[in-house]
């Protein structure tokens, strides 16, 4: 059976599916990952077939304001839908769809008869247990949370509407709104497996039976991979350092963030590693591999190292704490390593995950991105590293995570859906 995992978004929206894909491949299935072209190396490193999706969120540029953001998102999704059917047609017996690709994949599934399941990284179905993850961390009460959840899905359907209309026309399907298709899927009990840990978010008490929480899916890391020699040397040269990184966030703000980070680290008396990421984070404007200084400023020296992309699974267990944007993947990786977090959420679901870390005691109170200062970051770092309760809470949550088999649960679900043979195709 040929399985196609379709995902789109930033690195954190795609990388976990490499580990999931490898688990499915090891279970005997043929697995392909469909994503935008920049993620081809991730699939290739994992040994998965790669199928490019014809869209790039960067092509629509940086946007400011709600309406402009909605227009940019709609344009990205329309591009995505344009080639979705072609990607599936290369040979697919089962579609595994992410939050972003599901509202398009449903229509492809209807046109081709190829079954599908959801594989989501965050909770999206309305619940009274908490407000929508994109609405921040404050509960609105059970009724308010559910109402806000329904409104959030309504707004998402509006963004998808142009892409859906164009895709259905291309597939020669009768007109159907994005909202009506979502209702149809809900009424049919479409299964959605959620790749996050109940250590962070217990399964909502009011979710329907087809919505399950499996535990995390981790990005693939080759067993032979090692950290760069310079990073190993830095780790060995002193006490465990703090990592500061913002992943795919804060593009163009690297110089400001680097200066804040270095001053905060020195104020707290800690060694640090700056991960460049999309922000171009660096100590005093230096590039990858540059060392920052000792002393009170942000000049050159030996107490801070700037690095590029390194696997969280290899680096995080060797740290004293992690300063991060609270993306779902980075949040889970810090907990898995038993390392305290200092969160600086930027946008989207990040305030939600930051609040969850604080709620379980594995992270300090979130620092809003626009309120970040060297003094505030230093105070939070001092608390996270010197107060053992944060590491203890992270370790306890990490032990909970270790008892979950996220990828294995998906493999079991796929086997139940198709125990022996490929699915029949619908004739058209």
């Amino acid at each position: 059976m040929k399985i196609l995992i379709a995902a789109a978004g930033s690195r954190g929206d795609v990388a976990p599916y490499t580990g999931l894909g490898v688990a499915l491949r090891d279970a005997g299935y043929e697995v392909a990952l469909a994503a935008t072209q920049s993620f081809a190396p991730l699939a290739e490193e994992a040994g998965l077939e790669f199928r490019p999706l014809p869209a790039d969120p960067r092509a629509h540029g940086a946007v400011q304001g709600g309406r402009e953001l909605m227009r940019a998102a709609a344009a990205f999704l329309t591009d995505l839908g344009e080639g979705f059917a072609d990607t599936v047609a290369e040979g697919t017996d089962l579609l595994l769809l992410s939050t972003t690709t599901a509202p398009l994949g449903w229509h492809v599934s209807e046109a081709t008869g190829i079954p599908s399941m959801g594989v989501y990284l965050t909770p999206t179905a309305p619940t009274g247990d908490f407000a929508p993850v994109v609405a921040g961390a404050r509960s609105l009460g059970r009724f308010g949370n559910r109402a806000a959840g329904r409104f959030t899905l309504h707004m998402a359907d509006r963004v998808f509407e142009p892409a859906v209309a164009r895709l259905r026309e291309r597939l020669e399907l009768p007109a159907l709104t994005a909202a009506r298709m979502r209702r149809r899927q809900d009424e049919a009990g479409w299964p959605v497996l959620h790749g996050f840990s109940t250590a962070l978010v217990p399964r909502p008490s009011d979710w329907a039976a087809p919505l399950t929480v499996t535990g995390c899916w981790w990005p693939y890391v080759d067993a032979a991979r090692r950290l760069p020699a310079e990073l190993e040397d830095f780790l060995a040269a002193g006490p465990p350092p703090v990592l500061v990184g913002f992943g795919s966030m804060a593009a163009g703000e690297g110089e400001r963030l680097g200066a804040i980070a270095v001053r905060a680290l020195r104020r707290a008396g800690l060694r640090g590693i700056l991960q460049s990421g999309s922000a171009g984070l660096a100590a005093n404007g230096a590039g990858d591999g540059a060392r920052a200084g000792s002393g009170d400023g942000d000049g050159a020296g030996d107490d801070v190292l700037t690095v590029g992309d390194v696997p969280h699974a290899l680096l995080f267990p060797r740290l004293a704490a992690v300063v991060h944007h609270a993306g779902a993947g980075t949040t889970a990786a810090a907990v898995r390593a038993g390392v305290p977090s200092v969160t600086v959420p930027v946008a989207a679901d990040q305030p939600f995950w930051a609040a969850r870390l604080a709620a379980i005691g594995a992270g300090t109170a979130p620092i809003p991105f626009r309120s970040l200062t060297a003094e505030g970051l230093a105070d939070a770092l001092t608390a996270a590293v010197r107060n053992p309760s944060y590491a203890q809470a992270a370790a306890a949550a990490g032990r909970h995570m270790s008892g979950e088999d996220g990828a294995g649960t998906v493999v079991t679900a796929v086997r139940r859906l198709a125990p022996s043979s490929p699915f029949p195709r619908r004739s058209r």
Side-chain angles (χ1 to χ4, degrees), residues 416-428:
R416 287 173 180 166
L417 189 65
S420 59
S421 63
F423 300 101
R425 299 294 186 90
R426 177 179 302 173
S427 59
R428 296 192 56 210

Side-chain angles (χ1 to χ4, degrees), residues 280-296:
L281 197 66
N284 197 27
D288 286 1
R291 295 182 183 274
S294 56
D296 297 328

Side-chain angles (χ1 to χ4, degrees), residues 300-387:
D302 295 325
D303 60 335
V304 181
L305 178 70
T306 303
V307 300
D309 177 43
V310 293
H312 292 165
L314 298 183
L315 178 58
F316 280 20
R318 303 174 68 179
L319 300 173
V322 184
V323 178
H324 60 92
H325 59 299
T330 309
T331 295
V335 171
R336 182 193 196 188
V339 176
S341 289
V342 174
T343 57
V344 188
V346 181
D349 61 338
Q350 295 158 21
F352 173 83
W353 295 111
R356 293 308 307 157
L357 282 169
I360 67 171
T364 58
I367 304 172
F369 180 70
R370 291 300 169 193
S371 301
L372 182 65
T373 64
E375 294 73 21
L377 181 56
D379 290 346
L381 279 170
T382 299
V385 174
R386 311 299 181 201
N387 184 340

Side-chain angles (χ1 to χ4, degrees), residues 17-29 31 48 407-408 411 415:
Y17 296 109
T18 59
L20 179 59
V22 168
L24 288 163
R25 183 194 65 201
D26 290 348
Y29 301 105
V31 183
L48 302 175
V411 171
R415 282 177 174 157

Side-chain angles (χ1 to χ4, degrees), residues 5 7 13-21 33 48 98-99 119-121 217:
I5 305 173
D13 299 314
V14 177
Y17 296 109
T18 59
L20 179 59
L33 176 66
L48 302 175
S98 74
T99 309
V119 283
Y120 293 2
L121 297 175
W217 310 317

